[in-house]
Amino acid sequence: MVTREKTIFSSMRKEVDAVVLMNAVEPSMDSCFFYATGLVTGLFEGCVAILEPRRTEVLTSELEALSASEAGVKTTVFENGQESMRLMAKKLSRFSKIGINARELTVANHRKIRKASKGAKLIDVSQDLYRARMIKQPDELARIRKACAIASKTCVAIPEMVNEGMTETEVAAELNYRMMRLGANATAFDSNVAFGAKSAEPHYFPSPTRRLKKGQFALFDFGASYKRYVSDITRTFICHSSTKRQREMHETVLRAQEAAIDSIVDGVSGATVDDAARKVIDSSEFRGLFIHSTGHGIGISVHDPGSISSANDMTLLEGMVLTVEPGVYIKGYGGVRIEDDVLVTKSGCRVLTSCPKELRSI
Amino acid sequence: MVTREKTIFSSMRKEVDAVVLMNAVEPSMDSCFFYATGLVTGLFEGCVAILEPRRTEVLTSELEALSASEAGVKTTVFENGQESMRLMAKKLSRFSKIGINARELTVANHRKIRKASKGAKLIDVSQDLYRARMIKQPDELARIRKACAIASKTCVAIPEMVNEGMTETEVAAELNYRMMRLGANATAFDSNVAFGAKSAEPHYFPSPTRRLKKGQFALFDFGASYKRYVSDITRTFICHSSTKRQREMHETVLRAQEAAIDSIVDGVSGATVDDAARKVIDSSEFRGLFIHSTGHGIGISVHDPGSISSANDMTLLEGMVLTVEPGVYIKGYGGVRIEDDVLVTKSGCRVLTSCPKELRSI
């Protein structure tokens, strides 16, 4: 396995001797812990990673010792919480400036690190960690590509998988099953399947009673997780035949998505890309109905650092992987979203997901 | 929907005017946010719940506004991070003592709450929140029961679902599919399917290349999520015929699990129950190979507050729901774990999962 202390310290702008990443209990896990250590299997609740410029060490309970040792990460096993604190105190005693990840560390674990590192200064290096995470390394890209391939294949099969009358959770079950059979280790997140008016709710959860009816939009937003790296794709279909308004909605979103993708290149600002998509929608009859930003980073988490947004503007750089996912949402009627994952390159971007984008029927 | 401010404040031992729960970005979400608000659908990243003794209010982005309003929770929508901070400052200005959940709140969000509540004292009430969460209310129990029924039905079907030669992820795909088709909204966690030596790794992740072979243990640890409440079940099978040692391992774990279940009753200490299971294993040839505690709470999260453990001893009380899951793990050889979910009652406990427990063949 690849541990990433070199990448992390080379993008560090604050001066620290070490970085300490500590997980709490699910779901309060630090995604930088997994990014930094490269650990693929195992849960690692309550575990600690100590990164120095040239070494990474994991303090773990017996439960994860096998996962860690098989991955080839330097590991020390503790028996219980007290021993973990003693170990941490011993390991941290050499450092006077210790970096922490304030965006994911819990307040209770912060207290523990402070206690264990008595006297040392704790410095929030989350921005530096996130800056490192945004530029994907070749081994990370390979896993993202695999996750994208699995989601794409699953997406292509939607018309043969889904029929009028199926419930949203039945369809989610089919999507998840297909991804796992194609080699996903897990789903990237709980698949979102939304029919009719529910497609206007961007973070909807599928219902076991809601059935697909003729004339409804059917929105599928899902992704695969492969060795902890994820993909994220959305397509919106129509059950049987569409109305003119539905076709116009879909066409507008598609044009917005293509405008955004066309504008992506190393060095462009996220706000510019967001604007490219938003302009298309806001100059149509669906003005003001694109209620979220255009995209977010993906990688070890589904909402990885980085965004394509005017509110959180940033420069897109070669090696970043982001979603491009404009949408139009009409309350009580329905929504359309089209989402692909792209890798920013020197000369533009490479679209990592592939699935027909025209409005198709189920 | 049921908001739980009444339950929470009645178990509050610290004096606070309000409790503020704030989510960060997935996976750093506060499970108490969902417990307190009762919100079933939606993601709620960056959202805030403000609980007072007689009212609960959620500050949310447009993205989750529909989920929140449909659930009947009092909601105020913010447009961006700045507006969220302004809103929070306005809402918190009335309070001088504000409770926070230090076990799940991130350091960065703690800083935001401190800024928004200038002058107010922030008090860690995580213990009080967790005390409330441990005793399940009837509506919570109904969902847990449903999640248990789904996992049990799936578990019963394992012999017809799994065959020699299948890979671990193929089987995980089948388990997940079956649970979703039975009405689960999602899996409770990434299903753990482990064959042969890998069954000795309690938090193993299934592999897409590892195939089930004759004579191997096959361990299945999985659960369903139903309206955000979960179940968690484990059974260990044998592929074709077992050796004497394998039967003895399984028999020992089964006796340990039954001893633990038999000892559960309102008022018993977790350490006593843990000891009941451990004594069986430690007086057998598998002494010392039960490397984790006997159980943990389940509810809105898979590792909910509460445990059956000697290290974190606590009194089990009527209304708590916990797993009972002793195991024996032999590195390089294999492991056996048997896990059920139980509800503590006045006179003993009720086992909520049901699936044959003798060593069965695949």
Side-chain angles (χ1 to χ4, degrees):
Chain A
M1 267 320 307
V2 188
T3 57
R4 299 197 198 278
E5 62 281 351
K6 227 177 111 182
T7 311
I8 289 169
F9 277 90
S10 73
S11 76
M12 191 68 74
R13 292 184 189 167
K14 290 181 179 165
E15 201 190 300
V16 293
D17 308 316
V19 174
V20 178
L21 303 168
M22 186 172 185
N23 294 325
V25 173
E26 282 276 356
S28 296
M29 307 294 276
D30 189 334
S31 52
C32 285
F33 174 94
F34 295 100
Y35 165 73
T37 60
L39 288 165
V40 171
T41 74
L43 197 54
F44 294 96
E45 285 182 334
C47 296
V48 179
I50 302 171
L51 325 180
E52 293 176 70
R54 282 151 198 264
R55 84 202 273 275
T56 291
E57 180 170 6
V58 168
L59 313 183
T60 172
S61 68
E62 181 76 21
L63 277 177
E64 326 289 345
L66 220 56
S67 294
S69 70
E70 283 185 356
V73 178
K74 183 170 164 49
T75 304
T76 306
V77 177
F78 55 77
E79 276 208 6
N80 51 44
Q82 290 85 51
E83 206 188 324
S84 151
M85 281 299 288
R86 272 198 303 275
L87 255 178
M88 194 155 52
K90 194 180 136 198
K91 303 274 179 189
L92 299 186
S93 63
R94 294 186 291 119
F95 310 126
S96 61
K97 290 178 182 169
I98 297 172
I100 58 160
N101 177 15
R103 299 193 207 184
E104 301 189 63
L105 182 68
T106 65
V107 173
N109 277 348
H110 185 232
R111 211 184 288 149
K112 284 184 190 165
I113 294 175
R114 191 183 285 143
K115 202 175 155 192
S117 66
K118 44 187 171 269
K121 202 173 165 195
L122 301 189
I123 298 164
D124 178 15
V125 296
S126 56
Q127 220 179 339
D128 306 271
L129 290 165
Y130 279 31
R131 193 181 311 113
R133 265 174 74 180
M134 278 196 274
I135 308 293
K136 266 61 184 181
Q137 304 300 311
D139 64 307
E140 297 181 278
L141 263 181
R143 298 194 203 166
I144 292 172
R145 279 181 194 278
K146 174 80 176 173
C148 286
I150 292 168
S152 300
K153 268 194 193 171
T154 303
C155 198
V156 166
I158 284 176
E160 69 185 69
M161 256 191 289
V162 183
N163 291 307
E164 187 190 340
M166 283 176 81
T167 67
E168 290 167 343
T169 49
E170 278 169 3
V171 175
E174 297 292 339
L175 294 172
N176 298 350
Y177 181 70
R178 184 74 62 133
M179 288 193 284
M180 299 279 295
R181 291 299 304 235
L182 287 168
N185 297 107
T187 60
F189 51 94
D190 292 345
S191 297
N192 174 0
V193 176
F195 299 154
K198 292 300 180 189
S199 54
E201 218 170 307
H203 291 154
Y204 178 67
F205 281 19
S207 147
T209 55
R210 197 170 178 85
R211 292 181 187 281
L212 182 59
K213 291 183 194 136
K214 271 198 187 75
Q216 281 184 329
F217 277 130
L219 185 151
F220 308 92
D221 183 351
F222 59 98
S225 173
Y226 180 73
K227 296 192 176 174
R228 286 202 197 268
Y229 280 76
V230 304
S231 56
D232 189 358
I233 190 170
T234 306
R235 290 292 184 271
T236 309
F237 290 72
I238 190 81
C239 183
H240 292 273
S241 52
S242 53
T243 63
K244 184 159 171 275
R245 192 185 189 203
Q246 286 172 327
R247 286 192 296 277
E248 280 169 1
M249 264 175 91
H250 193 276
E251 175 62 26
T252 303
V253 174
L254 181 51
R255 278 194 296 118
Q257 203 228 17
E258 284 173 346
I261 290 175
D262 288 346
S263 71
I264 294 175
V265 63
D266 176 69
V268 73
S269 91
T272 302
V273 178
D274 185 83
D275 194 51
R278 207 163 298 274
K279 248 199 282 193
V280 173
I281 292 167
D282 284 347
S283 64
S284 77
E285 61 181 302
F286 306 109
R287 180 187 174 87
L289 298 175
F290 174 23
I291 58 168
H292 52 72
S293 57
T294 295
H296 55 80
I298 61 165
I300 205 150
S301 69
V302 184
H303 289 174
D304 233 44
S307 62
I308 300 178
S309 159
S310 55
N312 303 301
D313 192 19
M314 53 169 266
T315 302
L316 306 192
L317 296 173
E318 186 181 10
M320 291 184 177
V321 178
L322 301 130
T323 67
V324 182
E325 49 171 320
V328 161
Y329 308 94
I330 302 176
K331 271 185 200 166
Y333 175 76
V336 171
R337 184 168 60 257
I338 302 173
E339 174 183 34
D340 285 295
D341 304 333
V342 307
L343 166 66
V344 182
T345 65
K346 268 277 168 254
S347 58
C349 74
R350 206 158 302 141
V351 182
L352 304 179
T353 39
S354 66
C355 182
K357 295 209 273 193
E358 74 278 12
L359 181 58
R360 288 182 295 160
S361 293
I362 281 169
Chain B
M1 267 320 306
V2 187
T3 57
R4 300 197 197 278
E5 63 279 351
K6 226 177 113 181
T7 311
I8 289 169
F9 277 90
S10 71
S11 77
M12 192 68 74
R13 291 183 190 168
K14 291 180 179 164
E15 202 192 299
V16 292
D17 308 314
V19 174
V20 178
L21 303 168
M22 187 172 183
N23 294 325
V25 172
E26 282 276 356
S28 295
M29 306 294 277
D30 189 333
S31 53
C32 286
F33 173 95
F34 295 100
Y35 166 73
T37 60
L39 288 166
V40 171
T41 74
L43 198 54
F44 294 97
E45 285 182 334
C47 295
V48 179
I50 302 171
L51 325 179
E52 294 176 70
R54 282 152 198 262
R55 85 201 271 276
T56 291
E57 179 171 5
V58 168
L59 313 184
T60 172
S61 68
E62 180 77 21
L63 277 176
E64 326 289 345
L66 219 58
S67 294
S69 71
E70 282 185 359
V73 178
K74 184 173 164 45
T75 304
T76 306
V77 177
F78 56 77
E79 275 208 6
N80 52 44
Q82 289 86 50
E83 206 188 323
S84 151
M85 281 300 288
R86 272 197 302 274
L87 256 176
M88 194 156 50
K90 194 179 138 197
K91 304 273 181 190
L92 300 186
S93 63
R94 295 186 291 120
F95 310 126
S96 61
K97 288 177 183 170
I98 297 171
I100 57 159
N101 177 15
R103 299 192 207 186
E104 302 189 63
L105 182 67
T106 65
V107 173
N109 277 348
H110 185 233
R111 212 184 289 148
K112 284 183 191 165
I113 295 174
R114 190 184 285 143
K115 202 175 155 192
S117 66
K118 44 185 173 268
K121 202 173 165 196
L122 301 189
I123 298 163
D124 178 15
V125 296
S126 56
Q127 220 178 340
D128 306 270
L129 290 164
Y130 279 31
R131 192 181 311 112
R133 265 174 74 179
M134 278 195 275
I135 307 296
K136 266 62 184 180
Q137 305 300 311
D139 64 308
E140 296 181 278
L141 263 180
R143 298 193 204 167
I144 293 172
R145 278 181 194 278
K146 172 79 176 176
C148 285
I150 292 169
S152 300
K153 269 193 193 170
T154 302
C155 197
V156 167
I158 283 175
E160 68 187 67
M161 254 190 291
V162 182
N163 291 307
E164 186 191 341
M166 282 176 80
T167 68
E168 291 167 343
T169 49
E170 279 169 3
V171 175
E174 298 291 339
L175 294 172
N176 297 350
Y177 181 70
R178 185 73 63 134
M179 288 193 284
M180 298 277 296
R181 292 297 304 233
L182 288 167
N185 297 107
T187 60
F189 51 94
D190 292 345
S191 297
N192 174 1
V193 175
F195 299 154
K198 293 299 179 189
S199 55
E201 217 169 308
H203 290 155
Y204 178 66
F205 282 19
S207 147
T209 55
R210 199 171 176 84
R211 293 181 186 281
L212 182 59
K213 291 184 193 135
K214 273 199 186 72
Q216 281 184 328
F217 278 131
L219 185 150
F220 309 91
D221 184 352
F222 59 97
S225 173
Y226 181 73
K227 296 190 177 176
R228 286 204 196 267
Y229 281 76
V230 303
S231 56
D232 189 358
I233 190 170
T234 306
R235 291 292 184 271
T236 309
F237 290 73
I238 190 81
C239 183
H240 291 273
S241 53
S242 54
T243 63
K244 185 160 172 276
R245 193 187 188 203
Q246 287 172 326
R247 286 191 295 277
E248 280 169 2
M249 264 177 90
H250 193 277
E251 176 62 26
T252 304
V253 174
L254 181 50
R255 279 193 295 117
Q257 202 228 16
E258 284 173 345
I261 290 175
D262 288 346
S263 71
I264 294 175
V265 64
D266 176 70
V268 74
S269 91
T272 302
V273 178
D274 185 81
D275 193 51
R278 206 163 299 275
K279 248 200 281 196
V280 173
I281 291 168
D282 284 347
S283 64
S284 77
E285 60 181 303
F286 307 108
R287 179 188 174 86
L289 298 175
F290 174 22
I291 58 168
H292 52 73
S293 57
T294 294
H296 55 81
I298 61 164
I300 205 149
S301 69
V302 184
H303 289 174
D304 232 45
S307 63
I308 300 178
S309 159
S310 57
N312 303 301
D313 193 19
M314 52 169 267
T315 303
L316 306 191
L317 297 172
E318 187 182 9
M320 290 183 179
V321 178
L322 301 131
T323 66
V324 182
E325 49 172 319
V328 160
Y329 308 94
I330 302 175
K331 270 184 201 168
Y333 176 77
V336 171
R337 184 167 62 255
I338 302 173
E339 174 183 33
D340 285 295
D341 304 332
V342 308
L343 166 66
V344 183
T345 65
K346 268 276 167 257
S347 58
C349 73
R350 206 159 302 143
V351 182
L352 305 180
T353 38
S354 67
C355 181
K357 296 210 272 193
E358 74 278 11
L359 181 59
R360 287 182 295 159
S361 293
I362 281 169

